[in-house]
Amino acid sequence: MVDRIPQLAAMNCHHRFYSLESFFKSSRSNGYDCVELWTGPQHFFMDYASNDSVERLAALARLCGVRIIGICPEQTNPKPNNMAACSAEAQRRTFSYFSRAIDVACAVGVQQVVLTGGWAFLDEDASAAYERSVSMLRRLADYAEARDMLLAVEALQPGESVLLNSAADLKRLLNDVDRPVLKACLDTGAMARAGDTIERYFETLGTDIVHAHFVDVDMDVMDTHLAWGDGTRDMASDVRAFVQAGYQGVLSVETVSSRYHAHPDEADRQSMECYRAVVSSLG
């Protein structure tokens, strides 16, 4: 018998051509008790000035029998919500956007908001962009601490950002921001791309890892964020690594490939079937 096996959560990224209600219902029918909400505007609109009804969101989740455990705002290029934004006006909008995400998370009663370190223009000094990211994250962490909310920052793949790609990069960022509510999210896609491992993440960041985006990866061609069973990773070994590290968070299946857009529920079902088989073998 192993210790606590992390719970699996669905995400709505690949459900973008279906309604939010359809996502909640299919998650429930596929055996997911909890979900992480990506704030795609077709499901839950949010920008720096306004957002959809939180009350309706919470009511819909209750009606469909799922629990929202976190908010994952839109924030990678070409989205305007860049933690390393350059101009004063862009920085004002960025702070307003992410502080709004924190407010939404508080209103829904979730555990954390997932962030990234933002991205730099390729024709600028990356170190200057990194310092802007640190400054913005300090401001947001102070706001989150006042609201009793955790922030979980994840690394991105090199094609998305040059600022934050590895476990070592995350450790440096958490040290530089130096705020108790800023923690880490382990994304197995970015992890694989950086040549990191789950074990190295926990050796580097320890209990600062409070959340995970848990996806299969085709390691031969480095195709990431796949439904489990469509890549080459061994889910049992990965789950065991989380268990052995004493991980206390949730594993969110952040499936984003467009190959799943037509039948997203089938991808979620496939991941859950893999997970149930692993739980059975580990239990």
Side-chain angles (χ1 to χ4, degrees), residues 38-109:
W38 166 69
T39 60
Q42 60 276 71
H43 287 166
F44 184 82
F45 176 83
M46 182 180 71
D47 65 8
Y48 69 93
S50 64
N51 56 264
D52 281 341
S53 169
V54 174
E55 293 76 14
R56 179 183 177 278
L57 172 64
L60 184 59
R62 287 194 302 270
L63 178 66
C64 297
V66 295
R67 178 171 58 94
I68 301 173
I69 56 90
I71 300 295
C72 185
E74 290 191 304
Q75 54 195 297
T76 53
N77 193 340
K79 305 301 179 183
N81 317 303
N82 179 15
M83 205 65 68
C86 291
S87 71
E89 184 60 24
Q91 290 172 9
R92 183 190 68 79
R93 289 193 300 265
T94 296
F95 181 80
S96 295
Y97 175 78
F98 286 110
S99 59
R100 180 174 295 276
I102 293 167
D103 291 342
V104 167
C106 289
V108 179

Side-chain angles (χ1 to χ4, degrees), residues 163-174:
L163 298 183
L164 195 68
N165 304 129
S166 67
D169 292 342
L170 273 174
K171 180 65 174 179
R172 175 195 175 203
L173 181 74
L174 264 58

Side-chain angles (χ1 to χ4, degrees), residues 82-182:
N82 179 15
M83 205 65 68
C86 291
S87 71
E89 184 60 24
Q91 290 172 9
R92 183 190 68 79
R93 289 193 300 265
T94 296
F95 181 80
S96 295
Y97 175 78
F98 286 110
S99 59
R100 180 174 295 276
I102 293 167
D103 291 342
V104 167
C106 289
V108 179
V110 306
Q111 300 167 353
Q112 77 268 318
V113 176
V114 175
L115 304 176
T116 74
W119 51 270
F121 288 113
L122 297 181
D123 58 352
E124 71 166 322
D125 179 3
S127 63
Y130 176 82
E131 291 303 324
R132 296 195 302 267
S133 179
V134 168
S135 177
M136 181 64 69
L137 283 165
R138 284 175 180 158
R139 292 179 61 198
L140 288 167
D142 289 342
Y143 186 86
E145 186 172 15
R147 305 296 314 270
D148 196 26
M149 178 62 58
L150 285 179
L151 305 178
V153 62
E154 65 177 331
L156 294 175
Q157 298 180 60
E160 299 170 311
S161 174
V162 298
L163 298 183
L164 195 68
N165 304 129
S166 67
D169 292 342
L170 273 174
K171 180 65 174 179
R172 175 195 175 203
L173 181 74
L174 264 58
N175 287 342
D176 288 344
V177 175
D178 192 24
R179 295 294 189 273
V181 299
L182 187 67

Side-chain angles (χ1 to χ4, degrees), residues 221-244:
V221 296
M222 206 52 71
D223 188 7
T224 68
H225 292 80
L226 302 175
W228 281 97
D230 286 344
T232 58
R233 295 193 67 85
D234 180 357
M235 181 192 267
S237 295
D238 284 354
V239 170
R240 190 178 295 111
F242 277 99
V243 171
Q244 291 175 346

